[in-house]
Amino acid sequence: MIPEPESISDLLDRLSAIVPDYPAEGISFKDLTPVFADPAGLRRIVDEVIAPFAGQFDVIAGLEARGFVMAAAAAYATGTGMITIRKAGKLPRPVHRDEYTLEYGTGTLELHRDDVAPGTRVLILDDVLATGGTVGSAARLLEKVGAKVVGVGVVLELAGLGGREKLAGLKVHSLQLV
Ligand code: AMP
């Protein structure tokens, strides 16, 4: 008998590492690096995160740092380009800057002013959606340069933190609600 293919939820349960009290007490950190390190795992999460957006984007925005892994693989697989939305001070040319709050602190994201042409259709990818602060900030940066955010793809969506509600108006696709 041919075995049933493993569901994406079973794959994520098997490979994700949950780290209690990291990086601060009370935070349950979802470490997806073992999923990235698994050849079948990386391919599955990238393919399944982008599936609902097929044909709808010109470029993929990755959020530093784990979003870069997803976005680069997805851009390569779909023959699109990738842009990097980075933490403050990392990009060498003139940037737009946006401040935001996240589950365990505050942060600043930046985007090169000329990395995306106005009207470009952009898909945002990251590993985990928690409060939605990071993705919301990325979306504001992309709007500043006149891009159109067609959607948001994440592997894990943390329940009860209001991320999806905060991003109302954006199509959000997650592979597992935890
Ligand atoms: P947020 O802005 O609150 O939606 O937080 C999402 C960003 O912070 C993503 O880039 C995640 O990588 C990271 N993050 C926030 N909370 C967690 C968590 N519990 N486990 C893993 N990553 C997290």
Side-chain angles (χ1 to χ4, degrees), residues 28-30 66 102-104 126-128 130-134 158:
S28 168
F29 191 84
K30 319 297 184 218
R66 290 175 297 273
L102 45 69
E103 198 187 0
Y104 43 76
D126 203 0
D127 63 338
V128 173
T131 66
T134 309
L158 305 190

Side-chain angles (χ1 to χ4, degrees), residues 17-19 22-23 26-32 63-67 87 100-105 109 125-137 154 156 158 161-164 166-167 178:
I18 310 299
V19 187
Y22 181 88
I27 302 292
S28 168
F29 191 84
K30 319 297 184 218
D31 176 18
L32 293 180
L63 309 190
E64 186 171 1
R66 290 175 297 273
K87 291 167 185 162
Y100 64 102
T101 56
L102 45 69
E103 198 187 0
Y104 43 76
L109 286 184
L125 294 186
D126 203 0
D127 63 338
V128 173
L129 177 69
T131 66
T134 309
V135 169
S137 175
V154 294
L156 299 183
L158 305 190
L161 293 178
R164 186 175 284 269
K166 189 175 208 154
L167 303 176
V178 290

Side-chain angles (χ1 to χ4, degrees), residues 8-47:
I8 192 73
S9 264
D10 286 349
L11 180 141
L12 289 170
D13 288 343
R14 178 168 61 82
L15 292 172
S16 308
I18 310 299
V19 187
D21 298 322
Y22 181 88
E25 193 148 339
I27 302 292
S28 168
F29 191 84
K30 319 297 184 218
D31 176 18
L32 293 180
T33 58
V35 186
F36 296 156
D38 184 89
L42 180 63
R43 187 177 286 258
R44 280 287 296 282
I45 58 170
V46 169
D47 287 350

Side-chain angles (χ1 to χ4, degrees), residues 1 8 39-40 61 91 106:
M1 217 170 88
I8 192 73
L91 291 170
T106 61

